Amino acid sequence: MSTTLSNLLHEVRRFEPPAELAAAANVGGAEYDTAARDRLGFWHRQALRLSWTQPWREILDWSNPPFAKWFVGGRLNVAYNCVDRHVAAGHGERVAIHWEGEPGDTRTITYADLLGEVSRAANALTALGVGQGDRVAIYLPMIPEAVVAMLACARIGATHSVVFGGFSAESLRSRVADAGAKLVITADGGYRRGKPSPLKATVDAAVADDTSVEHVVVVRRTGAEVDWTQGRDLWWHEVVDTASPEHEPESFDAEHPLFILYTSGTTGKPKGILHTSGGYLTQAAYTHDAVFDLKPETDVYWCTADIGWVTGHSYLVYGPLANGATQVMYEGTPDTPDRGRWWEVIERYGVTILYTAPTAVRTFMKWGSDIPARHDLSSLRVLGSVGEPINPEAWIWYRENIGGNRTPIVDTWWQTETGAIMISPLPGVTATKPGSAMDPLPGIAVDVVDRNGNPVGNGEGGRLVATEPWPSMARTIWGDDERFVRTYWSDLPGRYLTGDGAKRDQDGDLWLLGRIDDVMLVSGHNISTAEVESALVSHPRVAEAAVVGAADATTGQGIVAFVILRGDAARDESEGAALAGELRAHVATQIGAIAKPRQVIVVPELPKTRSGKIMRRLLRDVAENRPLGDVTTLQDSSVMDQISSGLSAGA
Ligand code: 6R9
């Protein structure tokens, strides 16, 4: 193997868990050993957190890998577990959701309220002819009806497919068609960046020639005018609000399909990742309890992800509600009406646990630490990160400026396909290292291997694989078992290929290095994008960086870096050139001369997917002077124009 360079492994800062948190933590360090000694017994005990109407006769059936069956023969109702049982236990008056609309309107929904709403919606869906095994597409903004719609589907055994509200008509059309959805639930619109954004018109375009869709149910949110197809379209408030708030939940098999969620991946048509009921809910609930140390009586939890992503499914809907949590749900963007919106929300609701993405943290870093400093954030006790590697400097910034230099940070690694968190520190146990996701959770087995599947030593980069099945694993790609096997299980038989690069440091702790496809090969050295980006972000003037390998006649690939400067940094051109030189030298001292970017380009923004991940593919096109590839999944389509015009001006 070629040499792998490393600067992340030089990270020496350590943060012990706060003594008070450790003393009262939900999960202690002994759980790792207990789970390792008897993995299935461990998951058996975690499944007992849920309420089942019939016990399972086998914990795991792995007789036909990679098609797992967990808690075989067990029966449960997922919505009952997320709602009814908390009411039955006397917690009906506990707030389930503090909802905050972008324009400032709010709603407080208790578990008893949620039970009434979910029951009404379940009755309404049943009356529309939706039943067990039918698919329902949900295309909604971040409003409570989104949660209610998901739970109502779960309650009647319909399989939901949530499509992110920012996706185009074509994206929605292909997902509705692939799943064969019978019903679409949408809204007249939602609020983003201070103005209503339409959704219904997109649905109209998406289902125009689709025969599988019988009805479109529309939530009134903005009051905008919408086109109406008589007989097909129905108002939510007309069908749901008039339905009975009593609904007897039926129980379903542990392997009953709960939801399909499409991931775009790098190539090909989106994959409809299928998750089922018992194993999924078990791991979502366990990890939410263990990783965030959730105390349902006292914590106020806030996951900022959109329900259109898996993080919204597992850590806004199923995990927290299964655990009876009180949470905040926010409709809009962090800079509306101003850049202090999130901190104001945290202060107002006394949020104790915040779960967000590195892209948000780096944006706040760019905006400046004076903004959060104006708010009282002392209620926070655990901070989470998900979605991308978090650079050590962003991690430190998050801890100091949001966490008051006190809160543990849990950097949680997982995927749509894994269904729930797989690798993360435990806040009461782990002495964390900024930038490292640390260890697989109890009950989870992963390894770092070379292309032939042999484990690599500490300090060497390789492919991250899961070596044992886990309860919330994807069961298949909807309608395409063969693609499921080929994509994830064929290269290294018996092991699940994550597609991510990783390495263990000298202590055996895990560092995620980004997607394997993004690794650069410079003069025979493997260099990870994550490492060079972290070196750049460790420079005081840099808020965010993305690097790509561009074809280079001498070195094979040359490193091209795109950087966003921190709030007050000048964008003057001669200064830009001097800064580029300084940043190249900085990377050389941090990692080594070989990792020095060939070019450093200051940009106002980076191309990101709608879930906030940097799209290096497009930057590679720019760096190699190619026409841009598919830009339809970009969050903001003007970003590439800004980058290209900046390039020609600066060249
Ligand atoms: C949950 C989610 C999955 C991909 C995954 C990896 C990246 C997620 C990460 C992380 C480093 C973390 N990723 N969490 N990389 N550290 N803590 O994001 O699911 O949208 O399917 O993306 O995201 O590359 O393979 P999904």
Side-chain angles (χ1 to χ4, degrees):
M1 256 188 95
S2 46
T3 334
T4 303
L5 293 163
S6 179
N7 81 307
L8 290 174
L9 303 191
H10 297 154
E11 179 60 61
V12 291
R13 293 168 285 194
R14 296 285 177 282
F15 296 89
E16 293 291 335
E20 220 177 299
L21 195 155
N26 292 354
V27 173
E31 194 140 302
Y32 290 105
D33 284 343
T34 319
R37 270 197 303 276
D38 177 11
R39 198 171 48 84
L40 294 182
F42 169 80
W43 286 118
H44 171 90
R45 286 192 301 283
Q46 302 317 322
L48 295 173
R49 295 168 175 272
L50 306 179
S51 170
W52 299 75
T53 58
Q54 188 174 301
W56 49 96
R57 46 172 198 275
E58 194 183 357
I59 302 166
L60 167 68
D61 174 357
W62 192 233
S63 59
N64 179 30
F67 302 100
K69 292 193 178 109
W70 281 86
F71 309 114
V72 184
R75 293 181 76 82
L76 78 170
N77 184 290
V78 168
Y80 176 88
N81 274 280
C82 292
V83 187
D84 308 45
R85 65 176 178 143
H86 306 310
V87 177
H91 306 310
E93 294 316 304
R94 183 185 295 164
V95 173
I97 299 174
H98 290 291
W99 179 77
E100 171 102 5
E102 196 188 73
D105 49 336
T106 61
R107 280 163 71 182
T108 307
I109 300 166
T110 64
Y111 275 93
D113 297 335
L114 193 59
L115 176 57
E117 283 304 298
V118 172
S119 299
R120 282 184 207 279
N123 284 322
L125 293 185
T126 307
L128 289 173
V130 178
Q132 176 173 355
D134 288 336
R135 275 82 59 207
V136 173
I138 298 176
Y139 185 70
L140 283 171
M142 286 286 283
I143 55 178
E145 285 80 0
V147 178
V148 171
M150 289 165 77
L151 291 171
C153 288
R155 193 171 185 95
I156 62 171
T159 302
H160 61 69
S161 163
V162 180
V163 178
F164 174 60
F167 275 136
S168 65
E170 176 47 32
S171 307
L172 177 61
R173 193 205 56 76
S174 65
R175 286 160 173 78
V176 164
D178 185 74
K182 200 167 174 180
L183 183 82
V184 180
I185 305 178
T186 188
D188 53 1
Y191 290 96
R192 300 282 300 164
R193 286 183 213 293
K195 46 178 205 291
S197 63
L199 289 173
K200 171 67 166 57
T202 313
V203 175
D204 289 339
V207 305
D209 334 293
D210 198 274
T211 48
S212 71
V213 174
E214 295 170 7
H215 290 290
V216 175
V217 174
V218 188
V219 178
R220 185 178 277 158
R221 165 66 184 133
T222 62
E225 289 260 335
V226 290
D227 287 345
W228 207 252
T229 302
Q230 284 303 332
R232 185 196 69 186
D233 298 349
L234 301 157
W235 284 111
W236 171 280
H237 59 262
E238 285 174 5
V239 294
V240 174
D241 295 2
T242 54
S244 158
E246 308 284 330
H247 181 273
E248 195 57 46
E250 206 185 315
S251 57
F252 300 100
D253 191 89
E255 285 298 335
H256 185 69
L258 179 63
F259 67 84
I260 302 167
L261 185 59
Y262 288 84
T263 74
S264 36
T266 43
T267 50
K269 84 172 202 315
K271 300 186 279 279
I273 301 299
L274 179 73
H275 284 287
T276 60
S277 304
Y280 170 78
L281 194 63
T282 295
Q283 194 173 328
Y286 167 69
T287 53
H288 181 258
D289 173 276
V291 171
F292 300 106
D293 190 44
L294 179 89
K295 313 285 194 229
E297 295 81 17
T298 46
D299 275 319
V300 179
Y301 163 86
W302 184 16
C303 167
T304 65
D306 192 281
I307 47 126
W309 312 121
V310 73
T311 306
H313 283 59
S314 303
Y315 298 103
L316 192 150
V317 181
Y318 293 111
L321 295 177
N323 291 336
T326 292
Q327 64 178 326
V328 168
M329 177 177 185
Y330 171 55
E331 179 184 35
T333 53
D335 51 356
T336 308
D338 59 61
R339 293 173 167 183
R341 184 65 184 269
W342 279 21
W343 319 125
E344 180 215 302
V345 167
I346 289 177
E347 188 168 357
R348 185 138 37 86
Y349 295 102
V351 171
T352 57
I353 304 168
L354 176 67
Y355 190 28
T356 192
T359 178
V361 174
R362 291 186 301 246
T363 300
F364 296 131
M365 224 164 113
K366 182 174 69 184
W367 289 347
S369 49
D370 51 316
I371 299 172
R374 287 182 215 128
H375 297 269
D376 177 6
L377 305 179
S378 61
S379 55
L380 288 167
R381 64 181 199 93
V382 178
L383 300 179
S385 174
V386 60
E388 282 189 295
I390 180 163
N391 327 102
E393 290 319 302
W395 193 104
I396 294 282
W397 187 94
Y398 192 24
R399 182 179 156 100
E400 285 178 353
N401 295 284
I402 309 304
N405 227 343
R406 180 187 77 245
T407 58
I409 294 184
V410 288
D411 174 11
T412 65
W413 180 91
W414 59 294
Q415 307 175 299
T416 305
E417 294 87 342
T418 71
I421 300 172
M422 302 287 277
I423 304 175
S424 170
L426 289 174
V429 177
T430 315
T432 51
K433 302 173 182 176
S436 169
M438 303 299 293
D439 304 301
L441 289 178
I444 299 300
V446 304
D447 207 349
V448 182
V449 300
D450 65 20
R451 63 176 70 246
N452 303 314
N454 302 313
V456 301
N458 287 353
E460 274 201 70
R463 286 145 208 262
L464 180 70
V465 295
T467 54
E468 298 287 350
W470 62 101
S472 63
M473 65 199 283
R475 297 306 195 257
T476 191
I477 293 174
W478 181 257
D480 203 345
D481 286 351
E482 192 272 326
R483 189 177 180 198
F484 179 64
V485 174
R486 178 163 37 90
T487 311
Y488 303 109
W489 298 90
S490 294
D491 281 7
L492 302 172
R495 277 166 295 176
Y496 167 78
L497 213 70
T498 66
D500 279 16
K503 73 173 81 168
R504 288 200 175 91
D505 63 18
Q506 59 285 1
D507 304 321
D509 296 320
L510 285 162
W511 297 77
L512 278 306
L513 301 177
R515 302 294 294 168
I516 301 263
D517 303 344
D518 289 336
V519 170
M520 302 170 292
L521 195 62
V522 183
S523 306
H525 295 275
N526 270 326
I527 303 178
S528 92
T529 48
E531 292 196 303
V532 181
E533 287 162 7
S534 289
L536 287 163
V537 175
S538 73
H539 188 281
R541 305 274 310 265
V542 177
E544 188 153 20
V547 309
V548 298
D552 188 295
T554 25
T555 57
Q557 281 190 315
I559 301 177
V560 179
F562 297 82
V563 299
I564 300 180
L565 300 180
R566 289 216 199 192
D568 53 351
R571 294 224 183 97
D572 163 272
E573 298 213 344
S574 65
E575 213 202 328
L579 188 60
E582 195 180 316
L583 292 176
R584 296 176 68 238
H586 180 72
V587 174
T589 33
Q590 292 285 304
I591 309 182
I594 185 84
K596 208 156 138 175
R598 185 182 77 187
Q599 244 175 312
V600 175
I601 302 164
V602 176
V603 292
E605 266 311 328
L606 289 170
K608 292 193 185 140
T609 64
R610 289 159 200 264
S611 62
K613 296 187 212 296
I614 296 170
M615 286 180 77
R616 293 186 185 74
R617 174 171 63 74
L618 294 178
L619 294 173
R620 236 170 355 242
D621 291 342
V622 170
E624 295 183 339
N625 298 313
R626 260 196 312 273
L628 293 182
D630 183 11
V631 293
T632 51
T633 54
L634 269 183
Q635 196 173 66
D636 172 357
S637 52
S638 67
V639 165
M640 292 315 296
D641 298 338
Q642 293 175 37
I643 292 177
S644 307
S645 62
L647 259 187
S648 41

